[in-house]
Amino acid sequence: MDPDVDLHVPAQRTEPQGPVLAAIAVGGALGSSARYGLELLWPPGPAGFPWATFWTNSVGCLLIGVLMVLIGEGGRTSPHPLLRPFAGVGVLGGFTTFSTYAAGFARLLDGGEAELALAYAGLTVGAALGAVWAAAAVTRCAVRAAGRRARARARERMRRRAQERGRG
């Protein structure tokens, strides 16, 4: 279900969900294909740390932090209604994945690497949460700074126009 749909509003309850589901499916195919490609390029050894999944989930969470601030908090205009389902749920949801994370954890346990499995589990959660938090915080600061610069430029343009009118 789309979080932007308020089921208390009758018109939104009957909104067709086909385009949303299609956006999620296409985005999910792209994101999961990218993740799979990284796993092929950087496979873990039989009892090795699953670095590709660790970095995929960490980077994906970082991008989720940026995306959610830009489309939820910082945009000057309203984003396309399919942007969050496509990019957030689809692409980044397919790119970051709990199932591959859990499979890597199970593989380490099955290989007798309980300590490494626990380290992987803890580091992944910590890195993912830290990445989304840091990215959101930095993006918020960047959006605020960009807004201040835009307001300063607008004030400067207005000041110049006023000066030009005063001379004419």
Side-chain angles (χ1 to χ4, degrees):
M1 173 153 318
D2 185 354
D4 293 328
V5 173
D6 183 352
L7 296 178
H8 296 96
V9 177
Q12 290 185 7
R13 277 197 301 256
T14 60
E15 226 174 68
Q17 294 298 306
V20 172
L21 295 176
I24 292 169
V26 170
L30 293 171
S32 58
S33 295
R35 176 184 33 83
Y36 180 69
L38 286 173
E39 291 285 333
L40 291 177
L41 291 172
W42 198 2
F49 195 89
W51 287 109
T53 304
F54 173 81
W55 287 113
T56 298
N57 285 335
S58 299
V59 169
C61 285
L62 183 133
L63 294 172
I64 288 169
V66 171
L67 178 70
M68 291 300 117
V69 169
L70 290 178
I71 67 172
E73 301 173 17
R76 292 189 317 187
T77 60
S78 182
H80 191 281
L82 295 178
L83 179 61
R84 182 167 48 191
F86 172 75
V89 178
V91 174
L92 295 174
F95 188 64
T96 60
T97 176
F98 184 76
S99 61
T100 305
Y101 165 67
F105 180 76
R107 185 183 48 75
L108 289 170
L109 284 178
D110 292 344
E113 299 289 340
E115 297 85 12
L116 190 57
L118 291 173
Y120 170 58
L123 285 172
T124 298
V125 170
L129 291 174
V132 76
W133 175 83
V138 168
T139 304
R140 282 184 190 109
C141 288
V143 166
R144 274 189 243 120
R148 285 191 299 270
R149 286 191 302 273
R151 287 188 297 278
R153 286 191 301 270
R155 283 191 301 271
E156 180 60 24
R157 281 192 302 274
M158 290 173 57
R159 187 186 62 75
R160 285 186 197 155
R161 286 183 192 140
Q163 284 179 342
E164 290 171 3
R165 274 181 273 181
R167 288 186 216 152

